[in-house]
């Protein structure tokens, strides 16, 4: 079966990005959400968002295909209470990458769960992505072309107004945003590059053990971060409207 937007030949990324400034081959996926808003949409057997099928393929398979084609070698999946279910599913997909599944004994939130990655991080930087976000192009290829410019974090935003290959959002404007998720022009896409030092110095930065990544962690490290906008679309299917939207796209593209 040919998948259209899922066809691996279409997500190899731009060849000009081969000589990248970001050399990280580590991807951390946030996959521990409870999906309380999607009970009527998810597979009854697992109730795991990233294992929901779209056109006969679990969504996590699509993300891992993008990571593999972008040269990712190590994937750390923070699966929360679904850790074993996700680990079993990944084993059946047979990707030639190394996988780690840290155990979250108590609920730590999307931010606090990052502390569990500390023993597994071997590189200066790692790529962080939500496991319930669809990207119209391979985001991990595009991330590789970004320099951290001596910053500890890079937050990627979707730009609604202009369509440059990339551009930086001024620090002043970024810090003035009343809401990280949505502004007049930009939306956070659930994609970041973080320095491993943030995880290793969690307590020195004043970060709580249990917290939200987008809210508490962002607020603590935003002055150490760079903001980059890029032109392609993303869909967070953690809500009913987002799920229906993504389902309609996959249904149209599947051949």
């Amino acid at each position: 079966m040919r998948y259209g937007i899922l066809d691996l030949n279409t997500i190899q990324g731009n060849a000009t990005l081969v000589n990248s400034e970001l050399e990280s081959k580590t991807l951390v996926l946030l996959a521990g959400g409870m999906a309380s808003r999607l009970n009527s949409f998810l597979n009854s057997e697992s109730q795991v968002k990233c294992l929901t099928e779209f056109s006969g393929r679990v969504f996590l398979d699509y993300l891992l295909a993008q990571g593999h084609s972008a040269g990712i070698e190590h994937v750390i999946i923070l699966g929360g209470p679904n850790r074993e279910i996700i680990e079993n599913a990944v084993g059946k997909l047979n990707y030639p990458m190394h996988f780690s599944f840290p155990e979250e004994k108590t609920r730590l939130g999307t931010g606090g769960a990052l502390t569990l990655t500390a023993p597994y991080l071997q590189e200066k930087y790692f790529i962080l992505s939500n496991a319930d976000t669809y990207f119209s192009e391979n985001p991990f290829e595009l991330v590789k072309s970004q320099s951290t410019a001596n910053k500890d974090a890079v937050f990627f935003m979707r730009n609604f107004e202009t369509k440059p290959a990339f551009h930086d959002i001024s620090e002043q404007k970024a810090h003035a945003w009343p809401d990280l998720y949505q502004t007049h022009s930009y939306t956070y896409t659930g994609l970041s590059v973080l320095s491993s030092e943030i995880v290793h110095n969690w307590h020195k930065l004043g970060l709580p053990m249990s917290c939200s990544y987008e809210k508490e962690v962002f607020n603590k490290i935003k002055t150490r971060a760079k903001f980059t906008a890029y032109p392609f679309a993303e869909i967070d299917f953690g809500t009913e409207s987002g799920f229906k939207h993504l389902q309609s796209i996959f249904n149209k593209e599947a051949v």
Side-chain angles (χ1 to χ4, degrees):
M1 178 178 290
R2 186 175 177 84
Y3 281 96
I5 57 171
L6 298 181
D7 181 5
L8 297 187
N9 292 325
T10 69
I11 60 172
Q12 294 302 313
N14 191 327
T16 62
L17 303 184
V18 172
N19 295 319
S20 61
E21 296 184 60
L22 176 68
E23 295 298 334
S24 175
K25 298 183 183 300
T26 302
L27 170 64
V28 176
L29 292 176
L30 298 175
M34 297 301 292
S36 57
R37 295 171 293 182
L38 295 174
N39 288 336
S40 61
F41 292 90
L42 301 183
N43 303 332
S44 58
E45 181 180 350
S46 64
Q47 294 291 301
V48 180
K49 279 191 288 186
C50 66
L51 298 182
T52 301
E53 287 192 2
F54 293 93
S55 298
R57 187 178 184 186
V58 295
F59 185 76
L60 184 58
D61 187 10
Y62 175 62
L63 276 182
L64 294 180
Q66 289 182 314
H68 177 52
S69 69
I72 296 295
E73 295 179 355
H74 184 197
V75 182
I76 304 171
I77 300 181
L78 298 171
N82 300 317
R83 180 179 68 90
E84 292 185 356
I85 296 174
I86 296 173
E87 184 174 2
N88 289 334
V90 169
K92 296 176 182 178
L93 294 174
N94 289 319
Y95 277 97
M97 297 181 282
H98 176 66
F99 290 91
S100 299
F101 300 89
E103 182 179 3
E104 187 175 345
K105 295 181 179 179
T106 59
R107 296 292 283 165
L108 298 175
T110 54
L114 281 177
T115 60
L116 303 175
T117 66
Y120 304 93
L121 297 174
Q122 304 296 322
E123 298 183 277
K124 185 176 180 180
Y125 294 100
F126 64 93
I127 302 168
L128 179 71
S129 178
N130 290 342
D132 63 352
T133 302
Y134 160 78
F135 299 93
S136 62
E137 296 179 46
N138 190 332
F140 312 124
E141 284 285 1
L142 296 173
V143 164
K144 285 167 57 180
S145 72
Q146 295 300 290
S147 168
T148 55
N150 297 318
K151 293 290 186 177
D152 287 329
V154 180
F155 292 97
F156 291 87
M157 320 295 289
R158 180 169 62 151
N159 178 23
F160 291 103
E161 293 184 342
T162 59
K163 293 186 177 181
F166 292 98
H167 73 273
D168 292 337
I169 304 169
S170 72
E171 198 169 89
Q172 182 178 5
K173 183 175 180 180
H175 292 186
W177 292 341
D179 185 344
L180 173 63
Y181 297 97
Q182 181 81 47
T183 69
H184 295 300
S185 303
Y186 302 97
T187 300
Y188 174 63
T189 64
L191 183 67
S192 307
V193 174
L194 296 184
S195 166
S196 297
E197 291 302 309
I198 290 174
V199 176
H200 293 304
N201 293 293
W202 197 261
H203 297 296
K204 290 182 180 179
L205 292 171
L207 291 164
M209 283 300 295
S210 179
C211 65
S212 161
Y213 171 66
E214 289 90 349
K215 296 176 182 177
E216 284 119 313
V217 177
F218 169 78
N219 284 330
K220 285 290 184 180
I221 66 176
K222 63 185 180 182
T223 57
R224 308 156 70 105
K226 172 183 173 184
F227 298 78
T228 297
Y230 59 93
F232 61 82
E234 49 79 28
I235 299 172
D236 176 354
F237 65 91
T239 63
E240 181 177 331
S241 60
F243 190 95
K244 289 180 177 178
H245 187 187
L246 183 58
Q247 198 171 47
S248 66
I249 289 177
F250 275 67
N251 288 339
K252 289 178 182 178
E253 294 292 339
V255 177

